[in-house]
Amino acid sequence: DTRIRPSMLAHSRLYGHCRQASHPVPSTSQATLPAYRVRWHGRDCHQSVPHWEPRQVATSAASSEAPVAVDNVQLQESARKDDTLQVQMVQWYPGHIARAERQLKEQLKMVDVVLEVRDARIPVATNHPQVSTWVGHRPRLLIMNRVDMVSKADKQAWNEYFKATKQQVFWTDGKNGDGAKGVKEALLKVSEGINAKRANRGLQPRPVRTCVIGFPNIGKSALINRLVGRRAAASAPKPGVTRMLQWVRLAGTLDLLDAPGVIPASFNDQIAAQRLAICNDIGEAAYLESHIAACFLVRCKLLPDGPALIGRLAARYGVDPLAGSAEDFVVAVAGKLFFGDIEKAGARILKDYRNGTLGEFALERPGDVERKRQREAAAAAAAAKDEKAAPQTQA
């Protein structure tokens, strides 16, 4: 395919800045490719586009045969090359989610219990900031879904954190049903307690209403199907499948409300937004896969198992992830496997993580809870400073 995709020119800083008359790019190489036909701002551009070779990123047949030996010092040195990584803002708030959120707030007034489902790979990023306000005093069961996609070390670290913070957590795999039995038993126990209180007040028992909430594509509908023992809710491995609220009866004593995934109206925390994109928990229209793949590599370098993860990436793609920046790695993978198409390269890297080809590991550990608080505090301070300066500017 001899066309340059507009997204590559319009959004990726890997390819410089495009204009109708010229296409300046980094001067590492001035070899000229044949003329390309580009649709740019509604106009056809016919240009000879200089070809940019990325910084020398090691690729060899040997690297695909055995993992590259990596230590933490090398990772720190490589991380410095990623300091200039700039990613387009990730924003995604489709209309059906806005509508469903309004309906959900109304339904929550009649709900007795809340099941909050998070992605076990990113428990911090999938913690919706408004859930505590919406739930109020109601009992809440915290569920970490996709336990099959994290390591034992990840699970142990989070169990220690939840134990220290006195939070009960249930680990589940909605796809295979692991852990669903424990959630069902806990729900039935809560149901019995609620109806016991009703009996003490002279009221008849009734099915206890339970709402299942969480971000898109974290397995809420699949978990509901496991709880009820049948396919009661549509489920697929992509965001936006559930588009309306649906009540499902469980065991005659529980009513489950399956709601579409809810997300913040705007992602002020772009670190969290990038991790949601990596895990396919927001729509693909919100981001460029080449950019998010670069963010994924940066994150891998900073994880406790970073050296092992870098070795897996090198073995998988035959490219040394530490020879250049994270962006250089994506470009090198594109050149080696996808004829230079960086979006296909990014899509492959993300797909390999999402389906477990690169191994099962979480992108967040308990230390990320405090880091998120620090980011939120810094953002709040910056907003307050801007608000304070606004009247002076107007004056």
Side-chain angles (χ1 to χ4, degrees):
D1 188 358
T2 58
R3 294 172 298 171
I4 294 181
R5 297 176 61 181
S7 60
M8 294 169 62
L9 292 171
H11 300 296
S12 178
R13 79 180 184 89
L14 299 173
Y15 285 86
H17 191 57
C18 174
R19 283 289 184 268
Q20 183 177 6
S22 62
H23 299 270
V25 293
S27 58
T28 306
S29 171
Q30 290 300 324
T32 300
L33 296 179
Y36 289 87
R37 182 182 179 87
V38 181
R39 189 74 173 172
W40 182 250
H41 291 302
R43 298 186 296 272
D44 285 331
C45 308
H46 299 267
Q47 298 294 333
S48 294
V49 183
H51 177 60
W52 173 37
E53 293 292 342
R55 288 190 290 264
Q56 293 301 315
V57 181
T59 62
S60 65
S63 61
S64 61
E65 297 174 358
V68 175
V70 180
D71 57 30
N72 289 324
V73 174
Q74 288 176 288
L75 287 180
Q76 292 175 4
E77 292 177 352
S78 178
R80 295 191 188 98
K81 302 174 185 177
D82 301 316
D83 289 343
T84 60
L85 178 64
Q86 297 177 0
V87 179
Q88 182 188 15
M89 292 285 285
V90 176
Q91 296 293 350
W92 187 66
Y93 196 66
H96 78 273
I97 287 184
R99 180 176 63 256
E101 183 176 314
R102 292 192 299 268
Q103 297 173 351
L104 177 62
K105 291 178 182 178
E106 290 298 319
Q107 293 290 334
L108 280 173
K109 298 175 182 178
M110 302 182 293
V111 165
D112 303 302
V113 188
V114 173
L115 293 183
E116 182 191 354
V117 184
R118 299 187 197 174
D119 191 326
R121 297 169 296 177
I122 46 173
V124 181
T126 49
N127 179 12
H128 196 292
Q130 299 299 319
V131 165
S132 296
T133 303
W134 295 343
V135 173
H137 64 280
R138 299 173 184 82
R140 174 172 51 167
L141 302 182
L142 179 59
I143 299 173
M144 293 292 176
N145 197 36
R146 293 186 173 149
V147 65
D148 59 311
M149 303 185 77
V150 301
S151 67
K152 293 181 179 179
D154 293 324
K155 184 178 177 181
Q156 180 180 354
W158 279 107
N159 275 333
E160 292 174 357
Y161 169 80
F162 289 125
K163 183 178 180 180
T165 55
K166 298 181 179 180
Q167 298 182 67
Q168 185 180 15
V169 63
F170 298 86
W171 295 88
T172 64
D173 175 8
K175 183 171 60 177
N176 297 321
D178 296 342
K181 182 179 179 181
V183 175
K184 185 175 181 178
E185 292 174 350
L187 277 175
L188 292 175
K189 185 175 181 180
V190 173
S191 174
E192 292 173 359
I194 291 175
N195 276 318
K197 292 179 180 179
R198 288 178 60 84
N200 291 336
R201 292 182 293 172
L203 300 174
Q204 293 294 321
R206 62 164 175 78
V208 172
R209 294 181 288 264
T210 304
C211 181
V212 183
I213 61 177
F215 275 71
N217 197 35
I218 58 175
K220 300 183 298 298
S221 297
L223 179 61
I224 288 177
N225 291 337
R226 289 294 177 178
L227 292 173
V228 301
R230 57 188 174 86
R231 186 176 174 81
S235 176
K238 61 180 181 179
V241 173
T242 303
R243 303 181 72 88
M244 62 182 65
L245 279 69
Q246 175 185 0
W247 284 100
V248 180
R249 178 61 57 88
L250 169 63
T253 58
L254 283 170
D255 284 338
L256 296 177
L257 176 62
D258 183 21
V262 288
I263 59 177
S266 62
F267 287 112
N268 296 322
D269 185 353
Q270 283 295 296
I271 297 295
Q274 292 163 14
R275 292 171 186 173
L276 289 167
I278 292 171
C279 294
N280 198 27
D281 290 343
I282 56 176
E284 293 180 354
Y287 56 88
L288 287 174
E289 289 165 312
S290 58
H291 284 223
I292 297 303
C295 294
F296 169 68
L297 175 58
V298 172
R299 185 57 186 159
C300 286
K301 294 176 182 179
L302 301 176
L303 290 174
D305 296 332
L309 300 180
I310 294 302
R312 291 179 205 166
L313 289 166
R316 173 68 174 167
Y317 306 110
V319 175
D320 182 2
L322 304 184
S325 69
E327 292 171 322
D328 289 326
F329 175 73
V330 177
V331 173
V333 172
K336 187 176 180 67
L337 302 176
F338 300 101
F339 302 99
D341 190 328
I342 61 171
E343 295 307 315
K344 286 185 178 179
R348 171 62 64 82
I349 294 169
L350 295 176
K351 180 181 178 181
D352 285 346
Y353 172 64
R354 293 165 181 172
N355 63 22
T357 300
L358 296 176
E360 292 76 30
F361 58 94
L363 296 178
E364 293 179 333
R365 285 289 186 93
D368 289 294
V369 176
E370 179 58 30
R371 295 186 190 98
K372 183 177 182 179
R373 290 198 192 102
Q374 293 174 357
R375 292 197 302 270
E376 291 174 344
K385 183 178 180 180
D386 292 342
E387 184 177 355
K388 184 177 180 180
Q392 299 176 0
T393 303
Q394 294 175 358

